[in-house]
Amino acid sequence: MPENDLLTIARDVAIAAGDLARRRREEGVEVAASKSSPVDIVTHADREAEALIRGLLSDARPDDGFFGEESGAEKGTSGLTWVVDPIDGTVNFLYGIPHWAISIAVVEGEPDPLTWRALAGCVVNPVTGEMFTAAAGEGAFLGSAPLRVADAVELPHALVATGFSYSSDRRARQGALIAELLPQVRDIRRMGTASLDLCFVAAGRLNAYFERGLSPWDHAAGALVAAEAGAAVRGWDGAAASKEFILAAEPTLADRLQDLVMKTGV
Ligand code: IPD
Ligand code: CA
């Protein structure tokens, strides 16, 4: 199936899940359980949205695999897998901060970001209505407007976003890195939704984004949007982006930031 047809499916399913999650948010949201740490939470809406997405995708593409944050992985027979975060930015969702997203990507190969090839991806913020999309080789879009990363800037002029792990040990190290970085860049943003951070790099609203410990469903769609908008999207020390590390920026800035982060360590 051509990438653009896969993208149409991703887009339709993301809109349906976004409508559901937005309704649940309006009704009021409570924590259903905590996961890897007391601050890593899931709401009933995360689970309900993932069940809806899983069902719609399996109706549309019964032979494809599925890999979602809340309900785990299931292998398919087609060689394609849908990688889904039903609500990225769950803490924003819980607090009513209107900056969270549905992230849906379809990848070819094993569902491992070190080796997969992303074919299409869609990130929707159901509160603002912004929809970011990309298909491999076809460019990235916000609605129907093509996206392009911001022009090259030196580090002191770079607005850099990052995110923090749910593990407090790792947070302590991430805080130390930010203390090093903050005096050397324009400013730091921690907005709480990695998929949107990546799309904001694509849209030139941020110069760069990096994070350590990010799960595959958080970046599968957004990384394709950023790459298709001209960003370099990289992992640690030349590897592909993965849970180990992800950095997305205009390519010359990506080199400078990567040197700095690797020198300082995370
Ligand atoms: C989180 C967000 C956050 C990032 C975390 C992710 P979730 O995803 O994307 O911005 O810093 O690493 O886990 O838990 O809200 O789906
Ligand atoms: Ca999530």
Side-chain angles (χ1 to χ4, degrees), residues 35 39-41 46 69-70 85-92 101 162-166 174 190-197 209 211-215 217-218:
K35 302 191 283 185
V39 290
D40 181 8
I41 49 109
D46 293 74
E69 174 167 16
E70 312 301 346
D85 191 343
I87 299 181
D88 187 28
T90 300
V91 175
N92 286 348
T162 191
F164 302 126
S165 161
Y166 290 120
Q174 289 172 321
R190 195 297 190 242
M191 294 186 285
T193 304
S195 58
L196 288 175
D197 291 332
Y209 159 75
E211 185 163 345
R212 192 131 197 214
L214 192 67
S215 295
W217 45 79
D218 295 313

Side-chain angles (χ1 to χ4, degrees), residues 1 4-14 57 60-61 82:
M1 187 182 238
N4 274 323
D5 295 345
L6 293 168
L7 182 55
T8 302
I9 296 173
R11 201 191 282 131
D12 291 349
V13 173
L57 289 175
R61 300 278 307 167
W82 294 85

Side-chain angles (χ1 to χ4, degrees), residues 33-37 39-43 45-51 53-54 57 66-74 81-91 93 100-105 116 166 192-195 211 213-220 243:
S34 56
K35 302 191 283 185
S36 63
S37 83
V39 290
D40 181 8
I41 49 109
V42 59
T43 72
D46 293 74
R47 291 174 176 162
E48 210 185 338
E50 182 153 321
I53 294 168
R54 197 168 182 154
L57 289 175
F66 183 85
F67 183 29
E69 174 167 16
E70 312 301 346
S71 63
E74 186 181 328
T81 301
W82 294 85
V83 184
V84 170
D85 191 343
I87 299 181
D88 187 28
T90 300
V91 175
F93 181 74
W100 48 274
I102 317 293
S103 173
I104 300 181
W116 75 34
Y166 290 120
T193 304
S195 58
E211 185 163 345
L214 192 67
S215 295
W217 45 79
D218 295 313
H219 67 77
K243 201 168 177 96

